Amino acid sequence: MEARRYQPQPRVPDAEAEQPVIIVGNGPAGMQCLVELRRRGVTTPVKLFGAEHWAPYDRVKLSTFLSGSTGFDDLTNLPPELDDSVEHLVGRPVTGINPSRRWVEDSLGQRHHYSRLVLALGSDAHIPSIPGTTLSGVLRFRDMADAQALMARRLRSTHTVVIGGGLLGIEAAHGLCRFGTNVTLIQHADRLMNRQLDSEAASMVADNLREAGVDVRLNTSVRRIEGTERVESVVLADGSELLCDTVVFATGIAPRTALARKAGLKVANGIRVTAAMQTSDPHIYAVGECAQFQDQVCGLVMPALQQARVAAGCLSGGNDSYTPVADSTWLKVMALEVFSAGHFADEERGLVHRTLVYRDPGAGIYRALMLRTGRLVGVVSVGAWPERQQILNRIADGRRMLPWELLRFRFTGELSEGGAGQVSEWPAATVICQCRGLSRGQLENFIGDDCDTATLMTRSGAGTVCGGCEPLLDSLCSGGAAAARKVPGGTPLAIVSAVAAMLMALAFWLPSPSPAGSVQDISLFEQFSRNGVWRQWSGYGVLAASGLLLLMSLKKRFPKVPMGGFSGWRVAHAALGVAALLLLYWHTGFSLGENLNRWLMLSFIGTAMVGITAALLTRLQAAMNGVGWLRQGSTWLHILVCWPLPALLTFHIVSAYYF
């Protein structure tokens, strides 16, 4: 189609025709603004402009598209609000704005009048000013066109250098190395994702990346790119040369401000906006990565969507105001879930008074809480954490952390009893989908009698951006959290523990067997217990049962070992405990003995009593609230009391054979 310049038309007065709302940009922020307008009852016609020739797609999942694990159809999720009342102009970038006459001009030269204008222009990839960036083979990773260029390049590239150790750089490096290409990742800072992770968390990500085959180089930068017409090598800051045929830039963003600057709007690093997301022209709004509120330009999807909701609220006649919340990031870097919020970086540790850390190297879990005057001000973690959303709410509400919450975190890595708990019992104002800003109360308005997780995601848009809240949505729809309260194997565990408790009570209630006065009065128990051979075998039995009991900890530490389910091992652990008690009674008659033998018996009996208590509380936890903390405490006490047993048992065996 031949482009023809549309002849200037006189502006139609507002009284004669209702002018549409024009949204420039069909990325996440622009689409969210449209959705919110319709959900708030605004029926004004909308014109939606998109500069790219693609249908709106999820930019957050662009890295999975590059790696080949997601198809293009999976990236597109058009909301039902994009209906016939919206004129969607794809591949029609806006080239000019006339604020005084309230019209925009598109790339075909056509002018479109508006009542209100929303700029959701996004950003471009920041390219450092170093020599060689114009050579063939220099690419960037920012949008769908970039992803497709990289996909075409990866099959013939032998060595690719990725510059930038943020999320996009990491995902690009990981996606490219999966196809037999040698990949080197260059990061100028001392750690990867230095704006999202602290040193220890970043080190875990770097180790994971190296295991995938990426050469990670920190504390260095590229001085220049060498080549005649195509990329041949890069020269690093230390003067060393790295041969390569492709260079990918993932070095941050540059807000798109040229259109606003040309229209006479106030521009700094981004387009300056008020708390209502208004620009210097009250009829023009700006949201997302192109907007600058105070001195900050957002580079994450969550605040961009929050700004879009504020702008839509003001356009619908409300008094919404943008208040930046604690910066938070939830990302899936390769197979690792990383999460951070508030003040967490190494450089900010001086702003906090106390740091609590929980580590489980076997499970790949690292969690750190930053506290100031007893209040949670920052968090960073690697590995799945169901409490992630509640942590964000704790940072926002500013309540003091309770002592038992901190103690629970030290031992279990969780702040709340039972972890995330039952989502349906969370306060209605608790935000479930941080990206869309949807609370539990709002989500329940979308739930019908036949609503499942997929339906709820379609109706509300929750979980369609980063997908981090999908387990919470599943719990809200199907009662998944309630089902999680059921303890597998809890009933047989309680039965075995009750039998052990009755046997111990009976043993202590009965008088201790005393030596017979004559041979004729010797009881059957004494005939066996005082027989040297039988006594020796009963001792071996106690030792064997004690050793088998330790396999419980082996199964817990190595859950992938093919040894059956953990719930079955827990019941077997309790049954072995009963057998050990019977053998111990046969061996000693529960006589405490003297000296170290007394301490050995006390350790045996104490371990059994605390273990029985922990097992019974494990079953009660499924039916009663408030016992989870007691169960956790008794479990740790059970382990603590058990610690002296190996040393005391070894001494008892050595002394028995020696003397």
Side-chain angles (χ1 to χ4, degrees), residues 406-453:
L406 301 179
L407 187 61
R408 183 186 293 118
F409 177 80
R410 282 187 178 277
F411 287 111
T412 67
E414 306 287 352
L415 284 179
S416 304
E417 179 184 320
Q422 192 167 350
V423 177
S424 60
E425 296 178 354
W426 291 8
T430 302
V431 177
I432 303 296
C433 179
Q434 197 73 23
C435 294
R436 298 290 186 187
L438 295 171
S439 65
R440 182 192 65 79
Q442 291 173 315
L443 286 171
E444 287 187 341
N445 294 330
F446 293 97
I447 297 178
D449 296 334
D450 58 342
C451 185
D452 55 14
T453 304

Side-chain angles (χ1 to χ4, degrees), residues 378-399:
V379 61
V380 62
S381 73
V382 176
W385 196 357
E387 284 189 300
R388 184 180 63 252
Q389 194 57 58
Q390 292 163 295
I391 293 293
L392 286 175
N393 291 318
R394 291 301 297 268
I395 294 176
D397 62 32
R399 289 189 292 114

Side-chain angles (χ1 to χ4, degrees), residues 292-313:
Q292 177 177 337
F293 177 67
Q294 296 175 349
D295 60 347
Q296 188 174 12
V297 174
C298 71
L300 299 173
V301 67
M302 187 192 72
L305 298 181
Q306 183 186 358
Q307 291 176 358
R309 289 192 293 271
V310 170

Side-chain angles (χ1 to χ4, degrees), residues 58 61 75 77 433 436 457-458 460-467 469 473:
D58 186 356
K61 299 177 181 177
L75 266 64
N77 184 26
C433 179
R436 298 290 186 187
M457 291 171 65
T458 302
S460 65
T464 58
V465 180
C466 72
C469 62
L473 300 178

